[in-house]
PDB file of all heavy atoms in Angstrom:
ATOM      1  N   GLN A  54      -6.253  30.413   3.305  1.00  0.00           N
ATOM      2  CA  GLN A  54      -4.857  30.414   3.726  1.00  0.00           C
ATOM      3  C   GLN A  54      -4.012  29.613   2.759  1.00  0.00           C
ATOM      4  O   GLN A  54      -4.526  28.839   1.956  1.00  0.00           O
ATOM      5  CB  GLN A  54      -4.728  29.819   5.128  1.00  0.00           C
ATOM      6  CG  GLN A  54      -5.471  30.598   6.183  1.00  0.00           C
ATOM      7  CD  GLN A  54      -5.357  29.952   7.546  1.00  0.00           C
ATOM      8  OE1 GLN A  54      -4.912  28.818   7.680  1.00  0.00           O
ATOM      9  NE2 GLN A  54      -5.769  30.671   8.568  1.00  0.00           N
ATOM     10  N   GLY A  55      -2.708  29.808   2.892  1.00  0.00           N
ATOM     11  CA  GLY A  55      -1.755  29.076   2.075  1.00  0.00           C
ATOM     12  C   GLY A  55      -1.510  27.689   2.632  1.00  0.00           C
ATOM     13  O   GLY A  55      -2.228  27.210   3.505  1.00  0.00           O
ATOM     14  N   PRO A  56      -0.446  27.032   2.166  1.00  0.00           N
ATOM     15  CA  PRO A  56      -0.192  25.651   2.557  1.00  0.00           C
ATOM     16  C   PRO A  56       0.369  25.469   3.959  1.00  0.00           C
ATOM     17  O   PRO A  56       0.854  24.413   4.292  1.00  0.00           O
ATOM     18  CB  PRO A  56       0.815  25.179   1.510  1.00  0.00           C
ATOM     19  CG  PRO A  56       1.530  26.407   1.102  1.00  0.00           C
ATOM     20  CD  PRO A  56       0.510  27.505   1.178  1.00  0.00           C
ATOM     21  N   GLY A  57       0.345  26.457   4.778  1.00  0.00           N
ATOM     22  CA  GLY A  57       0.851  26.332   6.143  1.00  0.00           C
ATOM     23  C   GLY A  57       1.647  27.556   6.517  1.00  0.00           C
ATOM     24  O   GLY A  57       1.556  28.607   5.887  1.00  0.00           O
ATOM     25  N   THR A  58       2.446  27.414   7.522  1.00  0.00           N
ATOM     26  CA  THR A  58       3.207  28.562   7.993  1.00  0.00           C
ATOM     27  C   THR A  58       4.581  28.654   7.357  1.00  0.00           C
ATOM     28  O   THR A  58       5.330  29.567   7.648  1.00  0.00           O
ATOM     29  CB  THR A  58       3.364  28.502   9.525  1.00  0.00           C
ATOM     30  OG1 THR A  58       4.006  27.264   9.863  1.00  0.00           O
ATOM     31  CG2 THR A  58       2.016  28.583  10.223  1.00  0.00           C
ATOM     32  N   LYS A  59       4.920  27.706   6.515  1.00  0.00           N
ATOM     33  CA  LYS A  59       6.224  27.731   5.871  1.00  0.00           C
ATOM     34  C   LYS A  59       6.285  28.872   4.861  1.00  0.00           C
ATOM     35  O   LYS A  59       5.311  29.135   4.161  1.00  0.00           O
ATOM     36  CB  LYS A  59       6.488  26.427   5.128  1.00  0.00           C
ATOM     37  CG  LYS A  59       6.661  25.221   5.987  1.00  0.00           C
ATOM     38  CD  LYS A  59       7.113  24.081   5.116  1.00  0.00           C
ATOM     39  CE  LYS A  59       6.506  22.782   5.561  1.00  0.00           C
ATOM     40  NZ  LYS A  59       6.803  21.703   4.640  1.00  0.00           N
ATOM     41  N   PRO A  60       7.437  29.522   4.751  1.00  0.00           N
ATOM     42  CA  PRO A  60       7.565  30.551   3.727  1.00  0.00           C
ATOM     43  C   PRO A  60       7.579  29.912   2.337  1.00  0.00           C
ATOM     44  O   PRO A  60       7.948  28.754   2.177  1.00  0.00           O
ATOM     45  CB  PRO A  60       8.911  31.214   4.040  1.00  0.00           C
ATOM     46  CG  PRO A  60       9.658  30.216   4.858  1.00  0.00           C
ATOM     47  CD  PRO A  60       8.633  29.380   5.573  1.00  0.00           C
ATOM     48  N   VAL A  61       7.165  30.680   1.354  1.00  0.00           N
ATOM     49  CA  VAL A  61       7.128  30.189  -0.022  1.00  0.00           C
ATOM     50  C   VAL A  61       8.495  30.405  -0.640  1.00  0.00           C
ATOM     51  O   VAL A  61       9.038  31.505  -0.624  1.00  0.00           O
ATOM     52  CB  VAL A  61       6.039  30.937  -0.824  1.00  0.00           C
ATOM     53  CG1 VAL A  61       6.020  30.480  -2.262  1.00  0.00           C
ATOM     54  CG2 VAL A  61       4.687  30.740  -0.179  1.00  0.00           C
ATOM     55  N   SER A  62       9.062  29.340  -1.206  1.00  0.00           N
ATOM     56  CA  SER A  62      10.382  29.440  -1.825  1.00  0.00           C
ATOM     57  C   SER A  62      10.278  30.139  -3.179  1.00  0.00           C
ATOM     58  O   SER A  62       9.199  30.184  -3.787  1.00  0.00           O
ATOM     59  CB  SER A  62      10.975  28.040  -2.013  1.00  0.00           C
ATOM     60  OG  SER A  62      10.293  27.371  -3.055  1.00  0.00           O
ATOM     61  N   PRO A  63      11.390  30.664  -3.688  1.00  0.00           N
ATOM     62  CA  PRO A  63      11.372  31.283  -5.014  1.00  0.00           C
ATOM     63  C   PRO A  63      10.921  30.301  -6.102  1.00  0.00           C
ATOM     64  O   PRO A  63      10.240  30.685  -7.048  1.00  0.00           O
ATOM     65  CB  PRO A  63      12.823  31.706  -5.235  1.00  0.00           C
ATOM     66  CG  PRO A  63      13.386  31.862  -3.864  1.00  0.00           C
ATOM     67  CD  PRO A  63      12.674  30.835  -3.029  1.00  0.00           C
ATOM     68  N   GLU A  64      11.272  29.031  -5.941  1.00  0.00           N
ATOM     69  CA  GLU A  64      10.854  28.022  -6.915  1.00  0.00           C
ATOM     70  C   GLU A  64       9.340  27.853  -6.909  1.00  0.00           C
ATOM     71  O   GLU A  64       8.705  27.754  -7.953  1.00  0.00           O
ATOM     72  CB  GLU A  64      11.534  26.673  -6.630  1.00  0.00           C
ATOM     73  CG  GLU A  64      13.022  26.659  -6.880  1.00  0.00           C
ATOM     74  CD  GLU A  64      13.828  27.225  -5.707  1.00  0.00           C
ATOM     75  OE1 GLU A  64      13.279  27.403  -4.592  1.00  0.00           O
ATOM     76  OE2 GLU A  64      15.020  27.510  -5.926  1.00  0.00           O
ATOM     77  N   GLN A  65       8.744  27.833  -5.719  1.00  0.00           N
ATOM     78  CA  GLN A  65       7.293  27.709  -5.617  1.00  0.00           C
ATOM     79  C   GLN A  65       6.596  28.933  -6.204  1.00  0.00           C
ATOM     80  O   GLN A  65       5.564  28.813  -6.852  1.00  0.00           O
ATOM     81  CB  GLN A  65       6.876  27.522  -4.155  1.00  0.00           C
ATOM     82  CG  GLN A  65       7.255  26.184  -3.577  1.00  0.00           C
ATOM     83  CD  GLN A  65       7.003  26.131  -2.078  1.00  0.00           C
ATOM     84  OE1 GLN A  65       7.279  27.087  -1.359  1.00  0.00           O
ATOM     85  NE2 GLN A  65       6.468  25.008  -1.616  1.00  0.00           N
TER      86      GLN A  65
END
Side-chain angles (χ1 to χ4, degrees):
Q54 298 178 348
T58 58
K59 292 188 217 173
V61 178
S62 72
E64 291 83 13
Q65 290 172 319

